[in-house]
C-alpha cells in the first residue's frame, strides 16, 4: 500500500444544472474524435467543451430532435459518428446539427438500447431488451440475433446489457442470464460460465458491464454477483476478491484509471479503485463535507478521456478528475474516520519514527501514520491548563533526542511524550507560562523559543529528565534590542554555530560561537536587497544556499555578500512564476527540489535552473491557502504543507510538464447572425459570405479540460488582420462584419493549461462576395464623379479659407495667452485647499485611490495617516475664526515640510488632514508621524494683537493589506485616530497589516 493512499482523497470538479447540464443524472459518457465530451442524461444529451454545455432534448414537434430524453448508451464509431441509444437508436448528423432515428424493428418489452459497439467493418452491434441486433451502417439493414436460433449458438436469452469487441476482434455479449463469446472467425456464440458466489447459488449470472483494459484483460461486472476478470485469452474467468462486499452490488461501469488501476462504479455503492498489480482496493466515495469529493455514490457511467482524465456520471451530476502525475496527494481535514480530526492544519512535524504530528488552528494535535491513519491525539481542554493543550492555535512543534515533542501554542509551550499519551505545560524561567509562542526548535542541547510578542529565548535542556532548565545568558540574544522585532516567525539552525531568525521586521543572523547578531533590514526598493520585512519561512538547500520566504515580497535567495559584507538576494515573484507574493512555508523534498506553500497554491522551484512552476488543482494540488510555517519534510522524502482545509503531501519524484496537445475546435458558428452548423463546413472549401450575410462570429475552444481557465487563445484573419489577436478565455470569439470582398483565412489558436500551443492552427477559409456597388465599373464611375466634385469644391473653398486665415490667426494669438492663464488658475482652484495649500478632499481621494491600486498591483507597502488637531474648537472659541485659520495654515505648512515629494497631503475637512505614504511600511510611517506630531506641538502660531497659539495633534496610521481598497484602509486609519484621541491626544496610534 502506498503511503498516504488510505488517507488521501481523489479530488473532483463537479458539474450539474448550475453549470448547464440538462439533468443531474448523467447515464452515459463518450469522447468524440474532435475531443468533445458527450454526456447522456435522464433528460437529454449534452456536449461539453470545457466552458459550457450545449444541450439536445427530445421534442416531437421538431424534426431532427432526439427520439427520447433518457439516454442509455453512447458510442463513437471509427468514422467519428456519434450513436445515441435511448428508446430508439439515433445517429447525430453534424452537418445539420440534428439526429436521424434508425429503425431496428419491433422490440419485445421496453424498447431500450442499453449497449452499442462496433463490429470492425462499418457496422454496429446493439444490445436491446429482447436480444442482440446488428446494423449495417451503409444500407441501414438490421439483423436480429435471438437465443435458440441455429446461427446464434449459446447466446443467453433475454436483455443484452453489455457488448464488447475485444482487441483481437472477438465479440463478448453480457445479458441478464449470462455471458457469451464469439471468436473473430466464429459463426456462433459460446456460453462463458462465471463462478458462482456460493455453491447454493443457482441463479443465472446477470452481466451488466464489459471492459477490456490496456493489458488485454477482460473485466466482467454483474448485478449483485461480483466482479470477474479473464487475465489472458482463452483463460477461465475468476472472481476479483470474492470476499469484498463493496463489489457485490450493481456494477454499472468499469474503466481504466491508469496503467495499473481499474475503477469499478456501482449503483448506490460509489467507486472501487483496484490496483491490478497487488489487488489492493480503495473506495472513492462522496463526502458531503467536501465540495471536491465525488458528486454522489450512485454511479451510472465511467470514462477515461484522451488526456488520461476520469469522468464519472452519477446521480449527483458529472464529476471530473483531471489526469495528474500522482506526485501530490490531498488529505482533507475532518472528513474521513481515522484521518485528520480538524480541517485547518497550522503546524506540521515529521517525527523520527515516520509518523507525522499535526497541530490545528482550534487547538489539539493528531499523530498520523501515513499507512494506518490517526494513531494518537492530544485534545484541548480549557479546564486543565497544566496537563492538556489549550483550545487555541498550535503554531509549531519540535522533537528532542528522547522522542518527546515540544508544542508551541498561543498560550504557552507544552511537552508531550513520544506516544502522545500525556502532555504538560512547560515552565520556562523568566517567561510567562501562557505567553504566545510562534516557533520552537531544539539544537545542540538548547531549546530556542520564539515568541509572538516577547522576542527570542533560549534554555539549556539540562533540567531533570532533559527538561528546559536555566536560561542561557551571554550566548543568546536576550537583549531584544539586537533583534529587528519582538515577533519571531521563523527559526533555522545551520551547522553547530549558526541561527537564522525571521521576524515581522527583517532577518537576523546569530553567530552562536561569537554571540553576535547581524540584523538584515528589508530593502524592497533595492533589486538585490531583502524584498520585504515580514519573514515567514527559511530553508537551506543542498548547495548550502539560504532561501527566505516573505509575506508580501515573494521568495528570496541569498546569493552572497557585496564588498562591504552586506547580504545580497535574488528575488522571485509573480513575474518569475510564483503563484502569490505571500510565501507561507518552504520545504525540500527527498530529491532536493524546493517547494513553497503560498496564499494561492504551491510553487515548485528547480534548485539547478531556478525555474519556478506554479502547481495547481490539475497537477493534483486541491488546497491553495497555506499557513505560515506549517510544513515539514518526512524521512521518506515527502514535503508536507498544512493548509486551510487539510494537508498537502508532495511525494519525491519528477513532476512532468503537461504536454497534452489540446485540439482546437469551433464550438459555435454564426453567419449573418444565424446559427451555422459546424459540421456543414467542408475541408478546403471556403465559407462564403454574401452581401446579405456579411457578418461572421466564430466561438472556439482548446479542449484541455484539466484547467480550461488557464488555456490561451488567439486568432487572425489573414488578408485583413496585421497580426494575431489575443482572445479572453471567457470570450473566445472572433467577430468580423462588413469585410471587403476577397479571399481570407481565419486561423484559430489555442494552448493547453501550461501555455503549450497546438502545433497546427485551425484554418477556416472564407470568401466574401461583392455587393453591386462594390463591383469595379461602379467604383470607377463613382471615383470619376468624386474627383470632379472635389476639384470644384476645393477651388472655391481655398479662396474662402485664405480670407479667413488672416483674421483667425490674429484672434487666436490674443486668446491663447488668456486661456493659458485661466486654465492654470482653474486647475489650482479645483485641486487645492486655498487656506492650507494642501490637496482638497476631492483631489486627495482621487489620487489616493490610484496610489492604493498601484500598491496592490505591485505588492509594495503603503501607509495612510489621518491627523486631527486637538481641541481646535477651543482655538476658534478663544481667538475667533481668524485665529483658527492661522493655525490650520500653519499646520498645513508643517505637514508639507516633513513629508517626501512622493507623499500625498490633503485637507479632508475642518481640522482633519490625511497623508498617503507609498513604499512605506507601518514602522517607517510611524517615525514620520511622530516627527510631524512633535513639530506641530513645537510650532508657535502668531495672530493679530501679538498673541501666539500652541496646539497639538493626534494621528492614526494603517498599513495597506494586500487586496484592500481605500475605503477599508481609511476606516482602519480612522479607527487608529479614534484610539489616539481616546488615549489622551497628542499621540500616534497604528493598525498594522494582517499577518
Amino acid at each position: 500500500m502506498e503511503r498516504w493512499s488510505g488517507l488521501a482523497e481523489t479530488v473532483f470538479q463537479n458539474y450539474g444544472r448550475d453549470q448547464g447540464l440538462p439533468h443531474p443524472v448523467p447515464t452515459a459518457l463518450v469522447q468524440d474524435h474532435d475531443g468533445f465530451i458527450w454526456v447522456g442524461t435522464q433528460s437529454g444529451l449534452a456536449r461539453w467543451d470545457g466552458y459550457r454545455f450545449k444541450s439536445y432534448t427530445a421534442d416531437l414537434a421538431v424534426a431532427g430532435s432526439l427520439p427520447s430524453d433518457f439516454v442509455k448508451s453512447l458510442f463513437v464509431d471509427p468514422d467519428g459518428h456519434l450513436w445515441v441509444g435511448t428508446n430508439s437508436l439515433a445517429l447525430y448528423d453534424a452537418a445539420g446539427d440534428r439526429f436521424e432515428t434508425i429503425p431496428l424493428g419491433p422490440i419485445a418489452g421496453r424498447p431500450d438500447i442499453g449497449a452499442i459497439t462496433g463490429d470492425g467493418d462499418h457496422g454496429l452491434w446493439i444490445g436491446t431488451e429482447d436480444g442482440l441486433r446488428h446494423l449495417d451502417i451503409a444500407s441501414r439493414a438490421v439483423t436480429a440475433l435471438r437465443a435458440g436460433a441455429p446461427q446464434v449458438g449459446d447466446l443467453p436469452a433475454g436483455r443484452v446489457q453489455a457488448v464488447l469487441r475485444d482487441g483481437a476482434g472477438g465479440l463478448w455479449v453480457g445479458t441478464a442470464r449470462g455471458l457469451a463469446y464469439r471468436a473473430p472467425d466464429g459463426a456462433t456464440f459460446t456460453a462463458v460460465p462465471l463462478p458462482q458466489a456460493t455453491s447454493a447459488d443457482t441463479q443465472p449470472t446477470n452481466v451488466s458491464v464489459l471492459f477490456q483494459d490496456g493489458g488485454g484483460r477482460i473485466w466482467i461486472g454483474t448485478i449483485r454477483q461480483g466482479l470477474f476478470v479473464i487475465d489472458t485469452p482463452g483463460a477461465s474467468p475468476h472472481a476479483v476478491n470474492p470476499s469484498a462486499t463493496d463489489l457485490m452490488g450493481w456494477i454499472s461501469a468499469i474503466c481504466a484509471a491508469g496503467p495499473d488501476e481499474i475503477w469499478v462504479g456501482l449503483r448506490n455503492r460509489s467507486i472501487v479503485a483496484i490496483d491490478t498489480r497487488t489487488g489492493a482496493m480503495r473506495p472513492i466515495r462522496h463526502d458531503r463535507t467536501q465540495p471536491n469529493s465525488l458528486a454522489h455514490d450512485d454511479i451510472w457511467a465511467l470514462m477515461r478521456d484522451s488526456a488520461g482524465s476520469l469522468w464519472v456520471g452519477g446521480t449527483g451530476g458529472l464529476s471530473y478528475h483531471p489526469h495528474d502525475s500522482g506526485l501530490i496527494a490531498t488529505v482533507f481535514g475532518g472528513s474521513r474516520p481515522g484521518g485528520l480530526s480538524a480541517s485547518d492544519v497550522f503546524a506540521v512535524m515529521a517525527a523520527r519514527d515516520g509518523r507525522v504530528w499535526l497541530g490545528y488552528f482550534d487547538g489539539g494535535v493528531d499523530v498520523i501514520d501515513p499507512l494506518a491513519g490517526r494513531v494518537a491525539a492530544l485534545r484541548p481542554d480549557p479546564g486543565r491548563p497544566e496537563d492538556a493543550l489549550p483550545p487555541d492555535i498550535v503554531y509549531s512543534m519540535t522533537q528532542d533526542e528522547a522522542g518527546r515533542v515540544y508544542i508551541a501554542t498561543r498560550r504557552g509551550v507544552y511537552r508531550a511524550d513520544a506516544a502522545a499519551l500525556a502532555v504538560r505545560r512547560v515552565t520556562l524561567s523568566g517567561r510567562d507560562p501562557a505567553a504566545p509562542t510562534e516557533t520552537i526548535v531544539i539544537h545542540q542541547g538548547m531549546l530556542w523559543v520564539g515568541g509572538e510578542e516577547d522576542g527570542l529565548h533560549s534554555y539549556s535542556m539540562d533540567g531533570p529528565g532533559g527538561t528546559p532548565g536555566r536560561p542561557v545568558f551571554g550566548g543568546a540574544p536576550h537583549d531584544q534590542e539586537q533583534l529587528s522585532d519582538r515577533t519571531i516567525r521563523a527559526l533555522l539552525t545551520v551547522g553547530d554555530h549558526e541561527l537564522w531568525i525571521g521576524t515581522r521586521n527583517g532577518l537576523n543572523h546569530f553567530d552562536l560561537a561569537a554571540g553576535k547578531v547581524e540584523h538584515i533590514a528589508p530593502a524592497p526598493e533595492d533589486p538585490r536587497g531583502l524584498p520585504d520585512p515580514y519573514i515567514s519561512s527559511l530553508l537551506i538547500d543542498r548547495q548550502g544556499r539560504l532561501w527566505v520566504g516573505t509575506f508580501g515580497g515573494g521568495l528570496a535567495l541569498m546569493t552572497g555578500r557585496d564588498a562591504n559584507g552586506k547580504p545580497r538576494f535574488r528575488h522571485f515573484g509573480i513575474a518569475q512564476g510564483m503563484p502569490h507574493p505571500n510565501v507561507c512555508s518552504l520545504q525540500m523534498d527527498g530529491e532536493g527540489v524546493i517547494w513553497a506553500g503560498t496564499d494561492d497554491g504551491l510553487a515548485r522551484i528547480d534548485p539547478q535552473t531556478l525555474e519556478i512552476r506554479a502547481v495547481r488543482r490539475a497537477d493534483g494540488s486541491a488546497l491553495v491557502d497555506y499557513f505560515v510555517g506549517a510544513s515539514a519534510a518526512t524521512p521518506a522524502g515527502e514535503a508536507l504543507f498544512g493548509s486551510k482545509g487539510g494537508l498537502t503531501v508532495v511525494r519525491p519524484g519528477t513532476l512532468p510538464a503537461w504536454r497534452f496537445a489540446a485540439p482546437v475546435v469551433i464550438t459555435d458558428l454564426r453567419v449573418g447572425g444565424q446559427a451555422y452548423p459546424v459540421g456543414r463546413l467542408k475541408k478546403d472549401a471556403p465559407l462564403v459570405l454574401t452581401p446579405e450575410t456579411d457578418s461572421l462570429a466564430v466561438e472556439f475552444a482548446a479542449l484541455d479540460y484539466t484547467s480550461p481557465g488557464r488555456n490561451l487563445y488567439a486568432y487572425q484573419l489573414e488578408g485583413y488582420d496585421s497580426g494575431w489577436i489575443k482572445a479572453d478565455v471567457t470570450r473566445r470569439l472572433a467577430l468580423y462584419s462588413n469585410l471587403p470582398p476577397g479571399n481570407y483565412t481565419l486561423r484559430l489558436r489555442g494552448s493547453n493549461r501550461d501555455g503549450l500551443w497546438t502545433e497546427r492552427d485551425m484554418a477556416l477559409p472564407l470568401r466574401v462576395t461583392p455587393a453591386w456597388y462594390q463591383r469595379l465599373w461602379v467604383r470607377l464611375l463613382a471615383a470619376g464623379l468624386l474627383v470632379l466634385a472635389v476639384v470644384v469644391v476645393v477651388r472655391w473653398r481655398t479662396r474662402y479659407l485664405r480670407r479667413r486665415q488672416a483674421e483667425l490667426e490674429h484672434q487666436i494669438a490674443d486668446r491663447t495667452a488668456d486661456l493659458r492663464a485661466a486654465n492654470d488658475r482653474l486647475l489650482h482652484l479645483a485641486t487645492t485647499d486655498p487656506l492650507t495649500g494642501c490637496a482638497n478632499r476631492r483631489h486627495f481621494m482621487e489620487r489616493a485611490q490610484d496610489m492604493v491600486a498601484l500598491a496592490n498591483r505591485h505588492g509594495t507597502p503603503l501607509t495612510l495617516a489621518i491627523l486631527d488637531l486637538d481641541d481646535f474648537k477651543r482655538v476658534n472659541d478663544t481667538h475667533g475664526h481668524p485665529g483658527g485659520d492661522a493655525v490650520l495654515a500653519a499646520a498645513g505648512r508643517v505637514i508639507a515640510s516633513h513629508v517626501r515629494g512622493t507623499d500625498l497631503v490633503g485637507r479632508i475637512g475642518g481640522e482633519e488632514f490625511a497623508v498617503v505614504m507609498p513604499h512605506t511600511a507601518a514602522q517607517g510611517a510611524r517615525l514620520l508621524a511622530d516627527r510631524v506630531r512633535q513639530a506641530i506641538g513645537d510650532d508657535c502660531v502668531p495672530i493679530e494683537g501679538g498673541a501666539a497659539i500652541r496646539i497639538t495633534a493626534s494621528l492614526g496610521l494603517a498599513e495597506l493589506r494586500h487586496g484592500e481598497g481605500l475605503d477599508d484602509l481609511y476606516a482602519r486609519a480612522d479607527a487608529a485616530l479614534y484610539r489616539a484621541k481616546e488615549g489622551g491626544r497628542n499621540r500616534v496610534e497604528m493598525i498594522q497589516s494582517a499577518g
Side-chain angles (χ1 to χ4, degrees), residues 56-350:
Y56 300 87
T57 56
D59 188 343
L60 297 178
V62 178
S65 68
L66 275 176
S68 175
D69 276 342
F70 199 134
V71 177
K72 301 293 182 61
S73 54
L74 294 170
F75 178 70
V76 174
D77 68 26
D79 295 322
H81 301 127
L82 174 67
W83 297 86
V84 184
T86 63
N87 61 6
S88 301
L89 180 66
L91 170 64
Y92 175 61
D93 175 16
D97 196 26
R98 61 193 305 276
F99 295 88
E100 175 192 356
T101 300
I102 310 297
L104 296 179
I107 299 176
R110 294 179 303 177
D112 291 338
I113 309 301
I116 310 171
T117 194
D119 67 356
D121 189 23
H122 304 289
L124 298 179
W125 291 105
I126 303 159
T128 71
E129 189 73 14
D130 64 352
L132 185 66
R133 280 169 168 75
H134 180 266
L135 171 69
D136 182 278
I137 295 175
S139 67
R140 300 295 197 263
V142 176
T143 303
L145 286 77
R146 294 185 174 89
Q151 71 274 22
V152 173
D154 294 330
L155 182 67
R159 182 172 64 253
V160 173
Q161 301 172 142
V163 288
L164 169 69
R165 184 175 181 272
D166 63 27
L171 181 64
W172 300 81
V173 180
T175 78
R177 291 181 166 273
L179 177 65
Y181 171 72
R182 193 179 78 173
D185 55 354
T188 60
F189 287 91
T190 302
V192 180
L194 299 177
Q196 298 296 328
T198 66
S199 58
D201 188 357
T202 60
Q203 295 295 320
T205 306
N206 194 340
V207 177
S208 54
V209 61
L210 296 166
F211 175 76
Q212 184 175 31
D213 66 19
R217 290 177 289 251
I218 304 295
W219 295 82
I220 306 151
T222 71
I223 297 177
R224 289 180 287 276
Q225 292 166 297
L227 176 68
F228 302 87
V229 66
I230 300 174
D231 293 318
T232 57
S236 298
H238 66 86
V240 176
N241 198 348
S243 63
T245 57
D246 282 347
L247 294 175
M248 296 308 292
W250 181 343
I251 297 177
S252 54
I254 304 173
C255 80
D260 302 306
E261 188 171 69
I262 292 292
W263 280 13
V264 180
L266 295 97
R267 298 291 309 277
N268 296 315
R269 292 284 189 93
S270 71
I271 296 171
V272 177
I274 302 174
D275 188 320
T276 58
R277 299 165 298 180
T278 65
M281 298 166 53
R282 63 180 178 92
I284 301 173
R285 297 193 177 100
H286 168 68
D287 182 348
R288 67 181 60 190
T289 68
Q290 297 296 340
N292 297 122
S293 75
L294 190 65
H296 200 277
D297 285 337
D298 188 18
I299 308 302
W300 287 71
L302 295 170
M303 185 194 73
R304 187 183 188 202
D305 67 17
S306 58
S309 300
L310 280 302
W311 300 81
V312 183
T315 295
L318 180 65
S319 296
Y320 171 66
H321 174 64
H323 170 80
D324 63 69
S325 65
L327 202 66
I328 300 173
T330 301
V331 183
F332 290 123
S335 61
R336 177 175 294 191
L340 278 59
S341 59
S343 58
D344 294 341
V345 179
F346 235 74
V348 184
M349 188 201 76

Side-chain angles (χ1 to χ4, degrees), residues 729-910:
V729 70
T730 62
R731 188 172 172 79
R732 311 160 316 282
L733 197 62
L735 288 170
Y736 295 93
S737 61
N738 299 318
L739 289 170
N743 294 318
Y744 305 90
T745 299
L746 177 62
R747 297 197 176 276
L748 308 172
R749 298 185 66 188
S751 80
N752 67 9
R753 70 177 189 236
D754 281 352
L756 179 66
W757 295 95
T758 50
E759 293 183 0
R760 296 183 61 184
D761 307 325
M762 184 175 186
L764 175 62
L766 302 175
R767 180 186 300 138
V768 181
T769 61
W772 67 268
Y773 54 83
Q774 294 175 310
R775 299 188 182 279
L776 180 60
W777 68 269
V778 176
R779 292 186 175 186
L780 291 176
L781 177 60
L785 293 174
L786 180 61
V787 169
L788 180 60
V790 168
V791 170
V792 173
V793 172
V794 167
R795 288 183 177 179
W796 174 83
R797 186 68 176 167
T798 300
R799 288 196 296 270
Y800 173 80
L801 290 176
R802 284 176 179 172
R803 288 197 306 269
R804 291 289 298 160
Q805 181 179 3
E807 298 172 5
L808 291 173
E809 286 178 350
H810 180 71
Q811 294 176 8
I812 290 172
D814 292 339
R815 294 180 181 177
T816 298
D818 294 338
L819 286 173
R820 283 181 183 148
N823 284 339
D824 290 341
R825 289 194 298 273
L826 287 172
L827 179 62
H828 182 75
L829 291 173
T831 61
T832 307
D833 174 54
L835 179 61
T836 64
C838 302
N840 60 26
R841 180 182 181 90
R842 180 183 61 81
H843 184 56
F844 176 87
M845 289 301 183
E846 290 175 350
R847 286 199 58 201
Q849 191 80 32
D850 294 338
M851 295 167 78
V852 168
L854 188 64
N856 273 320
R857 184 161 58 251
H858 294 291
T860 56
L862 178 145
T863 302
L864 171 66
I866 302 179
L867 179 148
D868 188 85
L869 300 178
D870 299 326
D871 294 324
F872 184 77
K873 184 176 183 300
R874 176 181 53 81
V875 175
N876 279 335
D877 292 343
T878 305
H879 302 284
H881 288 291
D885 289 348
V887 169
L888 290 172
R893 289 193 300 272
V894 170
I895 297 171
S897 66
H898 281 78
V899 300
R900 303 167 300 181
T902 56
D903 298 336
L904 172 65
V905 182
R907 182 185 175 195
I908 306 304

Side-chain angles (χ1 to χ4, degrees), residues 457-477:
H457 304 261
S458 62
Y459 298 87
S460 171
M461 300 290 288
D462 58 1
T467 58
R470 57 186 177 83
V472 177
F473 295 95

Side-chain angles (χ1 to χ4, degrees), residues 353-496:
D353 61 4
R355 299 189 298 179
V356 176
W357 291 55
L358 303 178
Y360 297 107
F361 178 80
D362 293 327
V365 169
D366 282 340
V367 181
I368 304 294
D369 185 306
L371 292 173
R374 186 171 67 243
V375 294
L378 297 169
R379 294 288 172 254
D381 185 347
R384 297 160 50 207
E386 297 302 320
D387 59 0
L389 291 177
D392 212 331
I393 300 173
V394 174
Y395 278 120
S396 177
M397 292 176 283
T398 189
Q399 190 173 37
D400 66 16
E401 292 296 327
R404 293 165 297 202
V405 175
Y406 287 80
I407 304 170
T409 79
R410 203 172 189 177
R411 303 189 193 182
V413 178
Y414 290 77
R415 188 182 73 172
D417 62 286
L421 296 176
V423 64
R424 291 200 64 81
R425 188 200 293 273
V426 176
T427 300
L428 301 174
S429 177
R431 189 171 189 261
D432 180 0
T437 306
E438 293 238 356
T439 184
I440 190 168
V441 66
I442 295 174
H443 180 64
Q444 296 293 320
M446 301 281 292
L447 176 68
W448 296 89
V449 179
E452 187 177 74
E453 301 167 347
D454 60 345
L456 181 66
H457 304 261
S458 62
Y459 298 87
S460 171
M461 300 290 288
D462 58 1
T467 58
R470 57 186 177 83
V472 177
F473 295 95
H478 285 276
D479 179 2
Q480 299 300 333
E481 297 303 320
Q482 296 183 60
L483 297 180
S484 57
D485 194 81
R486 298 175 68 85
T487 298
I488 310 300
R489 280 298 170 92
L491 294 174
L492 175 67
T493 59
V494 182
D496 294 336

